[in-house]
Amino acid sequence: MAHIDALIDKVSDPELKRLLREQVDGLLQRRDFGLVFQEHKPEVVELPNYRIRPGCTVRPIVATDTSEWRVTAVRGEVASLESGENSSTALVKDLVVIREFGEAIYPGLQSRGLVSKSSDKPFHSVINSENFHALETLLYAYEKKVDAIYIDPPYNTGARDWKYNNDYVDGIDDYRHSKWLAFMQRRLELAERLLNPADSVLVITIDENEVHHLGVLLEQLFPETTRQMVTIAINGKGVSKNGQLSSVEEYAFFVYFGSAKPSPVADNLFNDEQETTSTGEADHWASLLRRGTDASRYDRPGMFYPFFVDPALKRVVEIGRPLEASESRTDVEAPAGLVAVWPLRTDGSEGRWQTGKIGSQDLLDQGYLKLGAYNRRRDQWAIKYLFKGQRERIESGALEITGRDENGAVLLSERQQRVVSGKTMWNRSRHNAGSYGSGLLRALIPGRSFPFPKSLYAVVDTLRLMVGSKPNALILDFFGGSGTTAHATAYLNAEDGGRRRSIVVTNNEVSPDEARQLREAGHVPGDPEWEALGIFEHVTRPRLEAAFTGLTHTGDPAPGSYLNGTALAAGFDENIEFFDLTYEDPDLISMGRKFEMVAPLLWLRAGACGQRIDTPSEAWAISENGTYGILFDEEKWRDFVLEVSSRSTLTHVFVVTDSKSVYQQVHTELPDHVEATQLYEDYLRTFRINTEVRA
């Protein structure tokens, strides 16, 4: 140490001497035990579609050239560049803007499409973005509000499975473990700010390459939490390794914040016998409408017939005869006071029922068939029935008939059985990543693949332990990959009637081989040909669209069934929207500009439910069937407050004003149950991120 002091004393520049002394003192103050790793150069993100203008930092699009330049001028198609004492010029089309972590950015969200199948449920969200900036952006909407974070980060196997500063990290990189730890620490620190400190759970899956480093990192970052490590068998056949034992497992760290603890479950995931618990008055009824393959009227003409129902009593009164292929349903008249319910599919085409008329009559007589809900938009009643598996459970005693409703339909309850705690070693065949990860993807997005997707059921079982007792939980996955977490959340909701919603962040990277082939063909990031093969466009979005709608990207019904017997083609009664995170030009941020880019962030903060307010109005706007309103003209605040007070469904309002006093006045007059937030008049400066200073 004395030798280092002597060397520092020889430095003539006083400022440099001070900085060196600060760095050395900082190193000496580090803990003696724990992880020691370099912070590394701050990460950068490339913005292929960002306008190149003076002041931007850029690099050449050529993958092998990582030099960075500052743009001093742009004249036509040519940019003047500086780097230290060096200067140069380059064609604008050969450059890409970069943003270093620490530089202020102005994010927005741009919708890329949605699936809407439920009028009253909130939306899941999928964001195409570099995940550090996505996490910073989500802080506006969800700081301290997230119930659970589940992530499957890169395992750092040395096989070029992740990037640091746009370069793949491989097994010969001497700093690959250090880079991975720095990469993870930055994101986990933001994750902690998003989690509810009073009651939330963080789960991280990992394999043997970084499991020990990650365990120590979690101990250093979250010393006040309770932590457990779970071993999960994901491949019973094992992965052969030269001269080593075959690997069959991976690991998951559970980190409990505040009072959080695992939810009780029906299966401890380890014992041979499955222990079950009561689901009470769960909905055991399925739709009688045939879905998936062979679902047309003309596939089984004998199963196209009407149910005549009394809409006032909500009762099936009688069942009509099957129609011949040449007969039109419009020629069939319903008896007086009744309406005809036909097997019509969501696209309006004529489908068929699951059973023939005789079978349906038998089910109705036994109380195993009933009238379901009415869909106003489609002007259509649903017909519900107990499928064969449920009827067999009644016969075996697993399901108990506790009575009948006013129309004679049976009331059911599960037999009461023991609730158990999950164990720290899981051994379930449904966790096999090949069958229920890769195999499921092949069914949903035929002809496309994704490396090492998680088993859907492994993620469902994890979420059940995390939020099984929280039916309205908010779940975040910022290493979203193929989208398994959103898929698993919808599956869990269908299982127990929950309204949980997920936020998934994934990027649009292409694989190293695809990148090489695209560059050889003359394409660069940002080109349509390049972007079409990225993870978000090629895998995540089509996988989730297929899972929610039941139709693959080719328009065909998804083949096969889930383990609970539900056809993949049935989809889910859920909503999901896809977004790009955009980087907005500060030159365009002015009074009343760019509201459409921040509108989704306000909607997300208000619960992502109902209609979104996408354009500003002259006075104020309130979501037609949503939970929030926005005051655009501060002079109209009294009328706005009166309108908000008259709507009990509103939970959030945003007040567009630069005046703190006006905002406080509005806030004071609002009902207690309504959360108010100030929104600056130049909109995007409210969301300025990636810097210590917020406008």
Side-chain angles (χ1 to χ4, degrees):
M1 183 61 209
H3 180 61
I4 293 177
D5 287 337
L7 290 175
I8 293 176
D9 287 340
K10 291 181 180 180
V11 176
S12 58
D13 186 330
E15 179 62 14
L16 178 58
K17 181 185 292 187
R18 181 185 68 79
L19 292 173
L20 288 171
R21 171 58 60 195
E22 286 180 357
Q23 291 298 312
V24 170
D25 290 345
L27 289 171
L28 291 175
Q29 291 172 7
R30 286 194 173 200
R31 66 184 71 195
D32 294 328
F33 173 79
L35 286 174
V36 177
F37 57 92
Q38 297 185 27
E39 294 296 329
H40 295 283
K41 181 180 178 180
E43 295 175 57
V44 300
V45 61
E46 293 184 351
L47 311 178
N49 298 314
Y50 197 88
R51 181 172 65 92
I52 292 176
R53 59 185 180 81
C56 287
T57 302
V58 297
R59 66 167 47 148
I61 288 178
V62 179
T64 56
D65 188 349
T66 59
S67 60
E68 297 180 5
W69 300 82
R70 179 71 63 176
V71 178
T72 58
V74 177
R75 296 179 180 86
E77 299 299 317
V78 178
S80 300
L81 310 173
E82 281 187 358
S83 180
E85 297 180 355
N86 299 319
S87 60
S88 182
T89 60
L91 293 176
V92 169
K93 69 180 182 63
D94 294 332
L95 301 172
V96 60
V97 173
I98 63 172
R99 280 284 188 272
E100 185 177 280
F101 285 16
E103 291 183 272
I105 63 172
Y106 299 88
L109 288 179
Q110 185 172 24
S111 178
R112 295 293 307 282
L114 55 83
V115 174
S116 180
K117 295 184 65 180
S118 173
S119 60
D120 65 339
K121 280 190 174 183
F123 276 73
H124 303 266
S125 304
V126 183
I127 301 174
N128 172 27
S129 168
E130 183 284 320
N131 61 6
F132 184 86
H133 288 161
L135 288 171
E136 288 193 307
T137 303
L138 289 172
L139 284 170
Y140 176 80
Y142 299 127
E143 188 161 10
K144 297 183 179 181
K145 294 181 179 180
V146 174
D147 297 292
I149 293 179
Y150 173 93
I151 55 173
D152 181 38
Y155 285 3
N156 201 19
T157 63
R160 294 166 64 84
D161 63 337
W162 69 293
K163 281 185 174 183
Y164 190 87
N165 276 339
N166 300 294
D167 292 326
Y168 281 101
V169 179
D170 56 29
I172 63 173
D173 189 326
D174 292 337
Y175 295 98
R176 71 182 179 95
H177 295 293
S178 182
K179 287 178 178 178
W180 188 87
L181 287 165
F183 172 87
M184 290 298 296
Q185 177 177 319
R186 290 171 184 143
R187 288 153 178 80
L188 290 174
E189 287 172 344
L190 289 174
E192 182 182 18
R193 293 176 59 187
L194 285 159
L195 286 165
N196 175 4
D199 180 10
S200 60
V201 185
L202 164 68
V203 172
I204 310 175
T205 57
I206 202 69
D207 74 357
E208 69 270 17
N209 288 284
E210 295 290 359
V211 62
H212 303 297
H213 294 138
L214 178 60
V216 180
L217 178 64
L218 293 174
E219 183 178 358
Q220 290 184 187
L221 290 176
F222 313 125
E224 304 302 321
T225 63
T226 301
R227 296 169 300 281
Q228 284 188 294
M229 188 181 79
V230 172
T231 301
I232 309 172
I234 62 168
N235 185 353
K237 295 180 180 179
V239 178
S240 298
K241 297 187 175 183
N242 187 29
Q244 301 180 46
L245 301 174
S246 295
S247 297
V248 301
E249 87 289 0
E250 66 179 19
Y251 310 94
F253 282 100
F254 281 67
V255 184
Y256 304 102
F257 291 80
S259 62
K261 57 184 179 181
S263 297
V265 289
D267 180 4
N268 66 29
L269 303 175
F270 177 69
N271 288 357
D272 289 339
E273 70 278 3
Q274 184 174 354
E275 298 168 325
T276 58
T277 182
S278 170
T279 56
E281 293 294 333
D283 186 4
H284 305 283
W285 299 79
S287 172
L288 190 67
L289 179 66
R290 174 76 177 186
R291 292 186 172 93
T293 57
D294 301 323
S296 167
R297 165 185 179 176
Y298 301 102
D299 291 322
R300 297 288 296 274
M303 294 184 179
F304 185 76
Y305 54 88
F307 286 86
F308 296 114
V309 307
D310 185 330
L313 298 178
K314 297 182 179 179
R315 173 189 299 173
V316 175
V317 177
E318 62 181 274
I319 304 175
R321 65 174 178 83
L323 267 60
E324 299 293 336
S326 60
E327 294 183 278
S328 171
R329 73 175 192 273
T330 58
D331 295 331
V332 177
E333 292 187 13
L338 306 181
V339 296
V341 176
W342 297 91
L344 301 181
R345 306 169 76 179
T346 55
D347 62 0
S349 64
E350 294 178 334
R352 71 173 180 90
W353 302 116
Q354 300 271 15
T355 61
K357 175 183 176 179
I358 295 175
S360 291
Q361 187 65 58
D362 185 50
L363 291 171
L364 181 63
D365 293 341
Q366 294 181 72
Y368 294 166
L369 184 146
K370 66 178 182 179
L371 189 65
Y374 175 69
N375 186 316
R376 289 183 178 276
R377 182 172 59 84
R378 297 177 55 210
D379 188 25
Q380 177 79 357
W381 288 90
I383 304 295
K384 297 286 190 177
Y385 82 120
L386 296 177
F387 55 87
K388 182 179 179 182
Q390 298 290 51
R391 301 196 299 271
E392 289 176 347
R393 295 185 68 212
I394 293 174
E395 294 172 4
S396 69
L399 270 179
E400 180 182 11
I401 296 177
T402 59
R404 294 178 181 267
D405 66 16
E406 63 272 21
N407 294 324
V410 296
L411 301 175
L412 300 170
S413 177
E414 299 272 358
R415 293 284 187 181
Q416 294 290 329
Q417 294 178 333
R418 189 157 61 95
V419 174
V420 297
S421 297
K423 296 193 174 182
T424 56
M425 183 174 289
W426 300 357
N427 186 21
R428 289 288 176 264
S429 60
R430 64 179 179 269
H431 295 170
N432 184 282
S435 300
Y436 304 114
S438 300
L440 182 62
L441 273 187
R442 284 193 295 271
L444 293 171
I445 48 174
R448 302 183 183 185
S449 63
F450 180 79
F452 312 116
K454 281 283 183 288
S455 162
L456 172 69
Y457 306 105
V459 181
V460 170
D461 285 335
T462 304
L463 294 182
R464 190 181 289 112
L465 285 165
M466 298 168 75
V467 294
S469 57
K470 296 180 178 178
N472 297 303
L474 176 62
I475 301 162
L476 170 64
D477 179 357
F478 53 89
F479 286 99
S482 66
T484 307
T485 300
H487 194 167
T489 304
Y491 186 97
L492 184 58
N493 283 344
E495 184 179 80
D496 66 7
R499 292 169 54 86
R500 303 171 189 87
R501 60 188 172 107
S502 63
I503 303 168
V504 170
V505 180
T506 190
N507 59 35
N508 206 37
E509 294 280 3
V510 301
S511 71
D513 289 341
E514 289 171 334
R516 177 180 52 79
Q517 294 169 5
L518 286 164
R519 288 189 186 280
E520 289 175 353
H523 301 301
V524 295
D527 288 351
E529 295 83 356
W530 186 292
E531 299 303 317
L533 292 179
I535 295 170
F536 174 82
E537 291 290 353
H538 196 63
V539 177
T540 316
R541 179 178 172 184
R543 180 256 179 92
L544 291 175
E545 287 176 336
F548 279 58
T549 65
L551 299 175
T552 70
H553 63 282
T554 60
D556 300 312
S561 301
Y562 294 106
L563 291 180
N564 64 5
T566 303
L568 267 65
F572 295 102
D573 290 328
E574 300 270 339
N575 307 314
I576 188 167
E577 187 163 6
F578 303 89
F579 297 96
D580 283 336
L581 183 76
T582 63
Y583 295 81
E584 299 303 325
D585 191 331
D587 285 350
L588 299 180
I589 300 172
S590 59
M591 197 76 73
R593 299 287 297 278
K594 289 291 184 178
F595 175 80
E596 69 277 7
M597 306 313 298
V598 304
L601 284 167
L602 308 184
W603 176 72
L604 288 173
R605 180 164 180 154
C609 191
Q611 180 189 23
R612 183 162 63 239
I613 302 169
D614 283 323
T615 55
S617 67
E618 293 185 2
W620 43 263
I622 292 178
S623 175
E624 193 64 34
N625 58 345
T627 59
Y628 74 111
I630 305 174
L631 174 64
F632 291 98
D633 184 350
E634 62 186 45
E635 294 183 0
K636 304 293 179 62
W637 72 267
R638 294 185 186 279
D639 292 339
F640 177 69
V641 168
L642 286 174
E643 185 64 26
V644 170
S645 300
S646 69
R647 302 197 187 193
S648 60
T649 58
L650 297 187
T651 59
H652 291 72
V653 299
F654 299 90
V655 181
V656 180
T657 179
D658 288 342
S659 169
K660 288 288 185 182
S661 60
V662 170
Y663 168 71
Q664 289 297 336
Q665 193 171 22
V666 175
H667 184 275
T668 301
E669 297 295 329
L670 286 168
D672 292 339
H673 70 278
V674 177
E675 176 185 309
T677 304
Q678 184 176 1
L679 184 64
Y680 291 109
E681 293 183 10
D682 53 2
Y683 301 136
L684 277 163
R685 294 195 186 276
T686 307
F687 305 93
R688 185 183 185 205
I689 64 172
N690 206 36
T691 177
E692 292 295 326
V693 180
R694 281 181 178 268

